[in-house]
Amino acid sequence: MKRVVFSVFGAVAVFAGVTPSAAGDRYADRPPVMVSPDLSAPWVLQLGNAPGIVRQNRQQQRLRTAQPAQPDRVQTAAVQAPAKRMVMRPQINPIYLPQEVAYDGTQKPGTIVIDTTQNFLYLVEKNGKARRYGVGTGKPGFEWSGTHKITNKREWPDWRPPAQMIKREAAKGRYLPTYLAGGIENPLGARALYLGTTEYRIHGTNQPWTIGGAVSSGCIRMRNEDVVDLYERVNVGTTVEVI
């Protein structure tokens, strides 16, 4: 009986490539054991994996059990996350980009003239010239005309919607804040030029695709980069004619 037992364990040792080692090497990492598919003896099946499977060493097993690989988590999240829908905004017509044009009006250089029918703002210059910008103007029912002075200038202005506007929009199911600090999300954009004692302003917008249309509640909208340019060219006291 002793001879049989020795013979079996000897076969295991030879098959697995086991050699005598010191006690300190018992838990050292070893190359994986390949189990051939043609070995189906019960003692082979007791190794813990079906024939043909590569067994991992203990350290690899502990690491995988304790902490799944990061790429697996990223891939799973990518599969589960819904695809983001891209919103394509219409491009501004190049005619509304700033440009130098001929101007034959009677206004003095330095005057701002806003044509609400063509949606252009002119900064009158010398020698029959003007710097022209595209603007967004009042939508139907909010058109107006008149002459005012610029009474204030603000960078990244705060927005306090008039009570009438808040009430009007609430009736449509759109609830406006009573106050919104200046910033990129603010509808007044990067700069604002205040007109007289009115609630109207020449200001930037975070919706540049609306330039060239009748879209506002009476204010004059400009692209942020354009209102910054105009802001640097005019001062408080500048005359603004809205026609």
Side-chain angles (χ1 to χ4, degrees):
M1 183 64 182
K2 290 183 179 180
R3 292 179 181 179
V4 174
V5 172
F6 174 80
S7 184
V8 171
F9 280 96
V12 175
V14 170
F15 172 77
V18 177
T19 57
S21 58
D25 294 334
R26 291 182 61 190
Y27 300 103
D29 292 338
R30 299 175 183 275
V33 177
M34 294 294 300
V35 181
S36 175
D38 60 354
L39 298 178
S40 57
W43 65 268
V44 174
L45 299 179
Q46 291 175 6
L47 292 176
N49 287 322
I53 303 299
V54 177
R55 298 184 67 208
Q56 294 180 325
N57 58 44
R58 295 181 181 181
Q59 183 176 3
Q60 290 174 322
Q61 290 176 333
R62 288 196 299 269
L63 289 175
R64 174 159 291 194
T65 301
Q67 185 176 0
Q70 182 69 19
D72 292 342
R73 293 200 298 269
V74 174
Q75 184 177 6
T76 300
V79 171
Q80 294 177 351
K84 291 184 177 180
R85 184 179 179 183
M86 295 184 64
V87 178
M88 301 300 293
R89 300 294 188 186
Q91 299 297 313
I92 186 172
N93 188 325
I95 197 175
Y96 296 117
L97 297 178
Q99 51 193 289
E100 296 290 324
V101 297
Y103 186 79
D104 59 0
T106 59
Q107 295 85 0
K108 295 180 180 179
T111 303
I112 292 175
V113 179
I114 299 171
D115 184 343
T116 58
T117 58
Q118 299 296 319
N119 293 319
F120 289 125
L121 180 151
Y122 298 88
L123 176 58
V124 180
E125 299 175 338
K126 297 178 180 179
N127 303 319
K129 299 289 185 179
R131 184 166 178 80
R132 189 183 75 185
Y133 306 85
V135 294
T137 55
K139 55 192 172 184
F142 293 89
E143 307 97 332
W144 64 279
S145 61
T147 301
H148 297 282
K149 299 283 188 180
I150 293 177
T151 52
N152 199 0
K153 298 170 60 178
R154 291 287 178 86
E155 298 183 6
W156 295 105
D158 298 335
W159 184 44
R160 292 177 174 83
Q164 187 177 11
M165 177 185 289
I166 293 176
K167 182 179 179 180
R168 181 174 63 247
E169 295 299 319
K172 302 175 184 177
R174 181 169 177 255
Y175 299 95
L176 302 180
T178 56
Y179 168 80
L180 185 63
I184 195 63
E185 299 298 329
N186 192 303
L188 295 185
R191 302 289 187 273
L193 306 171
Y194 295 77
L195 303 180
T197 58
T198 72
E199 295 178 339
Y200 300 129
R201 293 161 289 244
I202 301 170
H203 64 78
T205 180
N206 52 22
Q207 297 178 324
W209 57 89
T210 63
I211 299 302
V215 291
S216 75
S217 295
C219 286
I220 307 302
R221 295 183 184 180
M222 303 179 71
R223 296 191 311 159
N224 276 331
E225 49 267 57
D226 295 346
V227 77
V228 168
D229 182 71
L230 179 66
Y231 184 97
E232 299 297 332
R233 294 174 183 269
V234 300
N235 299 314
V236 170
T238 296
T239 299
V240 179
E241 292 188 16
V242 180
I243 59 176

